[in-house]
Amino acid sequence: MAGERQSSFRFSGRYRMTGFDKTWLDLREAADHAARDHGLQKQVIDHLAAAHGQTLVVDLGAGTGSTFRAFLPEALHWRWRLVDNDPLLLIEAKRRHAGSARIECMEAHLDAPADSLFFEARLVTASALFDLVSESFLARLVSELAQTNIGLYAALNYDGVCRWDEHHPLDDEVVAAFNVHQRRDKGFGPALGPDATPVLRRLLEEQGFQVALAPSPWRLDKAHAELQRQFIFGIASAAAETGLVEEADVNDWRLARLQQAESSDCLVGHWDLFAFR
Ligand SMILES: C[S@@+](CC[C@H](N)C(=O)[O-])C[C@H]1O[C@@H](n2cnc3c(N)ncnc32)[C@H](O)[C@@H]1O
């Protein structure tokens, strides 16, 4: 993938992290796991329990294996294929789960996936990924899942909402610019950004899948102050890059928000989805 990378939120600008590096993924993992809808996770577990032996889960954009960890201890009963284009993240996943013979790692670019990607799979999963992809990418994926009768669990798809308890007069303007940035190409064509969940739902229903949805917002309080700070830096950089907000306004907003990172709670909207036939 070309360009700058960070979280399912991807930014470029003066503030830079090294991309989807493990430090950033680790920073967000506790908030991600708390946010995932546990009712939907239970449905996934029941779906796989009914699979009579065919329990290979293919995790797209797996990073260091957060979805695997989110399903522990049940995850240990299933086979996992972790797919990512970043070999360093896959090495880290292997290191963390060296004792599990049930995990295989596959380095692959999802924009040009190998035919063998879904071989023997019962379920495809992805987390914090589909807001980065285009509608045409999802249409191809859903068509492949329909042909092979594989279910889909897609967690933590950003929906465009960032809301703080302590309101700042520039919140709406900065978040709107950030959401414009979220729709820029992240390596898969024009990204769906906040539209990922409704588009994915439509595509799946057109192919005869039953689709269950649940909100999975981050609820960030002072215990997540560092995650809030990194997120604020990212939002500000992305918003500034669009040119839709005056640079001085972005700087004011960033400073005020950083000062409030320990006092103002923040909600970031996401949705989880589970689809099966
Ligand atoms: C926001 S991270 C999410 C990682 C993990 N699913 C999690 O929840 O922690 C997005 C992941 O997608 C991977 N990724 C992005 N573009 C990709 C592509 N074209 N092919 C394969 N993996 C990709 C990144 O390397 C990264 O690990």
Side-chain angles (χ1 to χ4, degrees):
M1 290 172 67
E4 193 77 13
R5 303 178 302 159
Q6 180 180 340
S7 94
S8 78
F9 308 105
R10 185 138 66 114
F11 313 111
S12 59
R14 266 172 294 162
Y15 180 76
R16 289 169 193 278
M17 288 181 69
T18 52
F20 297 111
D21 66 8
K22 65 184 167 68
T23 310
W24 168 250
L25 296 181
D26 284 350
L27 184 61
R28 58 177 292 168
E29 183 157 304
D32 281 348
H33 283 191
R36 286 177 191 251
D37 182 82
H38 297 136
L40 229 53
Q41 285 193 257
K42 174 78 170 62
Q43 285 189 45
V44 168
I45 290 166
D46 291 346
H47 178 74
L48 287 172
H52 303 300
Q54 190 196 353
T55 54
L56 175 67
V57 179
V58 178
D59 189 27
L60 304 180
T64 65
S66 187
T67 294
F68 171 82
R69 289 186 289 280
F71 277 97
L72 287 173
E74 285 83 357
L76 295 171
H77 301 307
W78 315 326
R79 288 168 48 225
W80 288 77
R81 181 175 297 144
L82 307 188
V83 184
D84 208 285
N85 66 348
D86 186 331
L88 294 179
L89 295 179
L90 292 176
I91 287 168
E92 182 62 18
K94 268 191 204 154
R95 191 190 66 76
R96 290 184 192 188
H97 302 294
S100 179
R102 314 221 78 192
I103 293 183
E104 76 181 82
C105 291
M106 181 188 275
E107 186 183 337
H109 282 265
L110 297 174
D111 26 335
D115 288 346
S116 55
L117 195 63
F118 301 135
F119 182 61
E120 292 187 329
R122 170 72 172 167
L123 183 75
V124 165
T125 63
S127 59
L129 179 72
F130 286 159
D131 39 61
L132 300 174
V133 309
S134 60
E135 179 164 353
S136 60
F137 173 88
L138 284 185
R140 280 196 306 278
L141 173 66
V142 169
S143 157
E144 174 89 23
L145 298 180
Q147 281 166 36
T148 45
N149 217 18
I150 299 173
L152 178 67
Y153 167 72
L156 299 160
N157 303 296
Y158 173 62
D159 71 359
V161 174
C162 300
R163 206 167 48 228
W164 290 264
D165 284 357
E166 294 174 35
H167 182 70
H168 185 281
L170 287 165
D171 282 347
D172 291 351
E173 201 180 335
V174 172
V175 172
F178 171 61
N179 287 339
V180 167
H181 194 278
Q182 287 298 104
R183 292 185 165 87
R184 288 188 175 175
D185 190 338
K186 308 291 190 297
F188 297 88
L192 285 163
D195 299 326
T197 300
V199 169
L200 181 56
R201 176 193 199 160
R202 172 174 54 75
L203 292 168
L204 286 160
E205 287 179 345
E206 283 170 4
Q207 294 282 355
F209 283 88
Q210 290 185 56
V211 179
L213 288 173
S216 54
W218 274 354
R219 296 181 190 280
L220 308 182
D221 58 19
K222 64 177 179 217
H224 307 94
E226 182 56 19
L227 177 55
Q228 279 213 53
R229 280 191 282 269
Q230 300 291 344
F231 187 54
I232 288 160
F233 273 116
I235 293 177
S237 295
E241 214 177 275
T242 65
L244 295 170
V245 193
E246 294 291 333
E247 196 175 341
D249 285 348
V250 175
N251 291 343
D252 288 351
W253 180 86
R254 180 174 51 207
L255 185 60
R257 280 269 153 255
L258 289 172
Q259 285 168 341
Q260 290 175 341
E262 306 213 4
S263 63
S264 179
D265 293 357
C266 170
L267 179 143
V268 182
H270 301 102
W271 287 81
D272 293 353
L273 174 152
F274 174 47
F276 60 94
R277 308 205 288 188

